[in-house]
Structure formats: C-alpha cells, structure tokens
Amino acid sequence: MSLLPKRQTPETRSLVRAHVLHVERTSEHFATVTLGGPGLAAFEPLGGDQCFRLFFRREGQDALRLPTAAGNGWIVQTLLMRAEVRPWVRNYTVRSFRREPLELDVEFALHADGGPGGAFPLRARPGEEVGLFDEGRTYLPPEGARRQLLVADETAVPAALAILETAPADLAATVLLEVPAKDDVHDVSAPSGVDITWLPRDGTARPGQLALEALTANAFPQPDYAWIAGESALATGARRYLHREREVPKSAIAFFGYWRLGRSAPG
C-alpha cells in the first residue's frame, strides 16, 4: 500500500518565474509576500491547500538560477548544481490567487530559527525574482463528508485558512489552529458552520502540543473527514488518536508532517 498522500495536480505543470511585489508583516510571527509577473498566467489555481515549490536566491547570490528540466527533472538538476549557484527550495501554500491583476499571495510563518524560508520574507524586496513549481492539493474530502476536522500548527495555518476561504458555504467543520502568540490570532472568513478555536502557545508549550491536547481533551462532532498538518508529532499523534479512540477510518484522515522539531529541511 502506498504511503504517499493523495494529491490532485493540474494537467500540466511547469516552473514559472515571478517576482516580489510587496511584503506585509501581518503579525508577530506571520508575513505575507505578494508575487506577480506575466509568468503567473500559466499557474492553475486549484483552491484548498494547493502548494508549490518556491525557488529563491541564497544570500550572497547575485541572481536566481533555476532548473530547466521538464516535469520532476528539476529535482536532480537542482541537486547537481554547484552549491554557490544552487537556489533554496521550500514548500509553501497558495494563500490566494488573482487573475486581475496577476498576483499570488504566500503567507510565511516566521521563527527565530526558521532557516532560509523564515528569513526570505524578512529580506525580500520588490523586484526579487523567484521560481514556482506547482505541487497540487492534498485536501480532498470525499463526497458526502458532511462533517470535517482541520488541525494545524503555525506552519499549516496558511493552508487551513486557504481551505476555509475556498470552501463551499455549507461546510461544517471543527478547526483547531495553534499559533505562537496571541498577536497571531485574527478574524477568518469561513462558512457559518465552521467552529474555529485559536490556540496561542505564548511560550508555554512545544509546537503542536496545544493542538494535540485540545483534540484529545475536547468533545467535538464525529468527523467524516480529517485534515491535519504541522509538526510531525502533531500529525502522527492526531491520526493515531482519531483512528484508535474515535474510530475514524484511516482512509478518511489526511495527515502531513510539514516539519520536525529540531531538524531543518534539506537544501
């Protein structure tokens, strides 16, 4: 049985170029980078938690060098680049996409030790060139999933909010959103049947702990479908609890370890 998550991707995918239009610091631990450029005309928005590979310059590089191989050939080509010219590559969610004008918003979770991805929105300036390669969406509730559950830490909050903002008006869901601080809590545009609980850590717990505790301690309607993403222990712990204690079928649980505490993502 495949351990790869189910994924919906566009019919055609290609690496497109874009550039930074502006950066907005929205709270203590979040910033939104708006990208633009004619290359985005080739981008196919799918909604939900659609994500993409973001290619950006390493500090000290004069220009962005992008792979040219077709399809997933970019992976090998990038790994074979010399270190001094190889770009950083990280996964991010499409927070919103607009055709007129061509703009794509990316929301970043900022950490003191967030590595290259966390540093990018802090140093990016208008005109900074980037590359995007679409990776599709993994939020794929089956038909008839009337009641849903979404659980996310700060790295997955942008994806959870994108799901809610593109959801049908009749969505009924319990949503647990863990963030680093109270300053990161804000109003959300969501269907009326969505119950959102924000869980600010404020330095009292490790990432993912509050969300997992809230999931296991509180009574909530039985979900027909669950989507959980964030720190690895949160994703696996939530899946284990939902299947063993709440008897949610494994096939109805989409779970994703976006990162692991104490480990950095490879180049």
Side-chain angles (χ1 to χ4, degrees):
M1 182 175 68
S2 173
L3 296 178
L4 295 175
K6 295 179 181 179
R7 187 179 296 272
Q8 175 192 354
T9 57
E11 291 185 5
T12 59
R13 294 188 296 160
S14 61
L15 199 154
V16 301
R17 291 179 181 265
H19 60 268
V20 173
L21 294 177
H22 55 82
V23 180
E24 179 184 4
R25 186 73 174 263
T26 53
S27 73
E28 181 180 357
H29 297 99
F30 287 90
T32 297
V33 177
T34 299
L35 305 176
L40 290 178
F43 193 86
E44 182 182 339
L46 299 175
D49 66 332
Q50 183 176 10
C51 67
F52 60 92
R53 304 276 183 169
L54 179 69
F55 298 75
F56 55 99
R57 289 187 304 115
R58 295 172 184 252
E59 290 191 9
Q61 292 179 341
D62 295 330
L64 177 68
R65 180 172 172 181
L66 294 175
T68 57
N72 286 326
W74 69 264
I75 300 173
V76 173
Q77 188 178 4
T78 301
L79 292 175
L80 292 176
M81 287 181 180
R82 301 191 316 275
E84 60 267 27
V85 299
R86 185 188 309 134
W88 289 117
V89 187
R90 293 292 187 269
N91 278 8
Y92 291 101
T93 301
V94 178
R95 188 66 169 78
S96 62
F97 181 83
R98 298 173 289 280
R99 285 286 179 199
E100 293 293 339
L102 274 174
E103 293 181 347
L104 187 152
D105 292 334
V106 192
E107 190 171 14
F108 291 78
L110 309 176
H111 294 271
D113 58 348
F120 173 75
L122 301 179
R123 68 173 176 82
R125 297 292 181 269
E128 172 93 11
E129 188 176 36
V130 298
L132 292 83
F133 186 78
D134 192 356
E135 292 288 357
R137 54 181 273 175
T138 57
Y139 169 76
L140 299 168
E143 287 189 30
R146 294 178 180 153
R147 186 78 203 184
Q148 298 182 26
L149 171 70
L150 307 180
V151 183
D153 72 6
E154 62 268 29
T155 62
V157 161
L161 297 183
I163 288 171
L164 295 177
E165 291 171 357
T166 58
D170 61 352
L171 174 67
T174 299
V175 180
L176 303 176
L177 302 177
E178 181 181 316
V179 289
K182 291 184 179 69
D183 179 64
D184 303 314
V185 177
H186 57 82
D187 293 335
V188 178
S189 175
S192 59
V194 173
D195 179 23
I196 300 174
T197 299
W198 289 91
L199 302 163
R201 289 193 301 272
D202 290 322
T204 63
R206 61 166 276 166
Q209 180 180 336
L210 295 186
L212 188 56
E213 289 177 352
L215 177 67
T216 58
N218 296 319
F220 55 88
Q222 184 75 358
D224 301 309
Y225 175 81
W227 180 94
I228 306 112
E231 204 279 327
S232 178
L234 167 61
T236 56
R239 179 180 186 260
R240 188 180 305 114
Y241 167 77
L242 289 171
H243 179 62
R244 293 181 180 178
E245 305 300 327
R246 297 297 296 262
E247 299 182 347
V248 179
K250 289 183 179 179
S251 60
I253 306 171
F255 72 111
F256 310 99
Y258 280 5
W259 64 293
R260 181 170 293 180
L261 189 64
R263 295 191 185 182
S264 59

